Amino acid sequence: MTVDYKTRAAALYTGDFRPMFIGGHWVPARSGAVIEAHNPATGALLATVPRGDAADIDIAAGAARRAFEGPWSRFTPFERQALLLRIADLFEKNWEDLCLSDTLDMGMPISRTLANSRRVIGMLRFYAGMATAIHGATIPNSFPGEILSQTVKEPVGVVGAIIPWNAPIAGSVWKIGPALATGCTVILKPSEEASLTVLKIAQLMAEAGLPDGVLNIVTGLGAEAGAALAEHPGVDKIVFTGSTATGQAIARAATGNLKRVSLELGGKSPLIVCEDADIEKAVPVAAMAVFANSGQICIAGSRLFVARKIHDAFVERVADFAKALRVGDGTAAETELGPIISARQAERVGRFMEAGQAEGATLLAGGDRLSPSGLEGGHFFAPTVFGGVTDEMRIAREEIFGPVISALPFDTLEEVVGRANATPYGLAAGIFTTHLGTAHKLSRRIKAGSVWVNMYHAIDPAVPFGGVKMSGYGREGGAEHLEEYLDTKAIWIQTE
Ligand code: NAD
């Protein structure tokens, strides 16, 4: 039975005001100002949300501190675990509506948002399990006599989380889940481009029994609410996902009270197709390594290095794959690529497409805006493939965050390692080869936080994810993620 997502979507948002969530209350901004939320596929107004600013962040910081020191501090790890499991169950029950909300607010096709349950519900359950596994150690020391030394793990306190618009559900849960597992409290500022689903998430968490003030959502602009959160003296840690430039500004703003900071930033990831690659397998993966979410993914494998001997034939097949992709409204079940988030972002993507042609790359697919019937108010691009790209071209150097593949030929493995690493970024990389030694050698030598061999895109709650170099620092996922939310205290006891 096919589900009529379009009809269901129409009932979700009707242009009304959606308040934000502070201290357990649904509130407008103190200033009364609002931001409009538009559907990027149609341009239609979905809702308005508060344009929170420094005053609202200050109130949220107070609520988060009171909760941290008050009722939340008395929750045992087992109670936090039970709460996370109840939240996961509620997410499961409301999964289609959450995904549909994201599709409407930021454009990702419903087929893709629905497929993300492992990264979201799985994450909540993974961290539910981890909540009761947090412990310190009893450590032998060099002092003579009866002196016991032990460590305990304590939550860092109030966490400020700032997320981008390209994956609001996963983005928020990956910040809130570990905070709840460790006993921290959270002030989350979603992107001004996509706040609506995050507000729904807060509603579900409150329904699951989260005490007031443990999770606070302040909607607003980056330069106002975001900047205020990054510099607030009552916030102990900032976890940020977004662009490298904003990450740098946040790291600077956080120095006032020496907040701990973790940053998940941009990328220009290489995907290397060796001469001995399994071509059938590599073509669709190489294409979707960029075209998933219309290229609006931090890990987009946007520099497609292909062994010169197979470059032309391989890239032509990727171009054919691109031409067959269905672009349109994400609420249609058959849509494979949705819109670009905003007019501003679409202009940026368009400029890169022009730059690629002006700099002499060969346009093999796309290169144009699209205007699907009935979606004239949206921002769409044909999936684009450039062949014969050289390392100096802008499309080979800068993060585009749009559906653009830049294919670059290479001759030797030694050469491609050097070229792949010749970027300020280090988020992810892909390698296609059937040779075990090559897989091993390249995956160790590429400087990136994640390397996928004969696959791409795998992200799992149990496996650490994050960048090196200017793609940031800190890890999300896995046991290491929890350490980001914990302090280690050493306790010494003389027992005689
Ligand atoms: P962005 O940096 O413009 O915005 C991200 C968030 O930061 C938004 O909530 C925004 O309001 C806020 N912000 C902006 N200026 C701020 C400031 N001065 N102080 C505090 N907060 C501020 O990024 P974007 O355009 O929303 O997202 C795209 C970028 O995010 C890309 O570079 C992409 O690679 C990156 N990204 C990285 C990952 C990852 O895990 N590494 C995941 C998704 C996106």
Side-chain angles (χ1 to χ4, degrees):
M1 194 183 69
T2 53
V3 184
D4 180 5
Y5 289 114
K6 262 187 202 310
T7 309
R8 279 177 59 181
L12 273 187
Y13 296 108
T14 50
D16 50 337
F17 174 68
R18 301 290 169 120
M20 59 189 177
F21 190 61
I22 298 179
H25 304 288
W26 293 96
V27 295
R30 286 287 295 247
S31 68
V34 296
I35 300 172
E36 292 188 347
H38 293 271
N39 180 340
T42 61
L45 178 74
L46 295 169
T48 57
V49 298
R51 179 171 160 177
D53 60 20
D56 304 287
I57 290 289
D58 200 46
I59 297 169
R65 180 64 57 190
R66 281 191 297 280
F68 179 69
E69 287 171 359
W72 186 231
S73 67
R74 291 186 287 278
F75 267 59
T76 66
F78 288 87
E79 287 168 327
R80 296 202 302 272
Q81 176 178 68
L83 179 63
L84 274 159
L85 290 172
R86 284 200 299 280
I87 293 172
D89 290 346
L90 276 176
F91 267 58
E92 199 151 44
K93 216 168 115 193
N94 292 276
W95 187 237
E96 282 196 353
D97 273 358
L98 284 175
C99 292
L100 209 44
S101 168
D102 246 10
T103 295
L104 286 172
D105 202 15
M106 49 69 70
M108 193 191 291
I110 186 72
S111 56
R112 296 203 73 84
T113 47
L114 285 171
N116 271 340
S117 65
R118 181 214 313 261
R119 287 187 194 175
V120 176
I121 300 167
M123 182 59 142
L124 289 164
R125 295 201 170 119
F126 176 77
Y127 280 113
M130 296 298 283
T132 54
I134 298 166
H135 59 79
T138 301
I139 304 168
N141 59 63
S142 61
F143 283 83
E146 294 295 315
I147 294 186
L148 186 70
S149 48
Q150 59 176 206
T151 55
V152 288
K153 299 283 183 179
E154 296 184 341
V156 294
V158 176
V159 174
I162 302 176
I163 61 169
W165 43 264
N166 66 336
I169 306 181
S172 47
V173 166
W174 280 56
K175 308 271 188 271
I176 301 168
L180 301 189
T182 52
C184 294
T185 56
V186 182
I187 304 162
L188 188 142
K189 199 215 71 75
S191 166
E192 51 273 47
E193 304 283 3
S195 306
L196 297 177
T197 314
V198 179
L199 294 170
K200 277 193 183 297
I201 283 173
Q203 211 171 359
L204 292 181
M205 293 198 176
E207 199 180 318
L210 201 63
D212 293 351
V214 173
L215 172 65
N216 307 274
I217 311 290
V218 179
T219 52
L221 304 181
E224 297 174 358
L229 183 56
E231 66 188 20
H232 198 286
V235 173
D236 302 296
K237 175 177 171 66
I238 290 284
V239 284
F240 171 72
T241 300
S243 63
T244 295
T246 305
Q248 289 172 308
I250 284 174
R252 281 192 293 272
T255 56
N257 65 333
L258 293 181
K259 286 181 190 65
R260 288 168 61 172
V261 176
S262 38
L263 303 171
E264 303 281 350
L265 308 176
K268 189 72 187 173
S269 299
L271 194 154
I272 301 169
V273 182
C274 300
E275 208 179 310
D276 60 9
D278 177 339
I279 305 293
E280 295 304 318
K281 204 169 170 183
V283 168
V285 177
M288 295 315 288
V290 172
F291 298 142
N293 204 18
S294 296
Q296 303 167 107
I297 36 173
C298 50
I299 52 177
S302 54
R303 288 185 297 150
L304 178 61
F305 288 99
V306 187
R308 193 176 301 277
K309 276 203 183 129
I310 60 166
H311 173 274
D312 290 356
F314 184 84
V315 177
E316 208 176 295
R317 287 190 57 177
V318 173
D320 289 343
F321 188 95
K323 287 174 198 160
L325 288 168
R326 283 164 295 201
V327 181
D329 183 353
T331 57
E334 67 279 6
T335 295
E336 290 163 298
L337 264 75
I340 297 290
I341 187 75
S342 63
R344 196 168 63 104
Q345 192 67 15
E347 271 165 36
R348 198 172 164 271
V349 172
R351 281 198 296 275
F352 277 107
M353 291 189 176
E354 286 162 17
Q357 295 179 67
E359 286 181 302
T362 313
L363 184 64
L364 298 168
D368 287 324
R369 282 190 185 238
L370 297 177
S371 189
S373 161
L375 300 173
E376 290 76 12
H379 320 287
F380 295 89
F381 281 97
T384 296
V385 180
F386 282 110
V389 176
T390 58
D391 296 355
E392 306 70 45
M393 292 181 188
R394 277 189 63 208
I395 53 169
R397 286 186 289 115
E398 296 178 33
E399 184 180 44
I400 300 175
F401 230 58
V404 183
I405 290 179
S406 302
L408 307 99
F410 72 89
D411 292 300
T412 68
L413 293 182
E414 195 57 33
E415 167 210 331
V416 79
V417 167
R419 290 171 63 195
N421 285 338
T423 166
Y425 297 112
L427 190 58
I431 298 161
F432 273 83
T433 177
T434 50
H435 191 272
L436 185 61
T438 304
H440 238 276
K441 215 182 296 170
L442 289 191
S443 56
R444 294 301 302 273
R445 290 190 60 196
I446 299 291
K447 293 193 181 355
S450 298
V451 180
W452 294 287
V453 180
N454 295 329
M455 61 187 297
Y456 206 78
H457 268 156
I459 292 182
D460 190 86
V463 181
F465 171 81
V468 297
K469 303 200 290 185
M470 288 184 78
S471 293
Y473 43 79
R475 291 291 176 270
E476 297 197 323
E480 283 161 89
H481 195 172
L482 288 183
E483 291 298 327
E484 308 265 347
Y485 290 74
L486 292 167
D487 281 328
T488 302
K489 178 187 278 175
I491 299 178
W492 295 81
I493 303 175
Q494 188 152 32
T495 55
E496 60 179 11

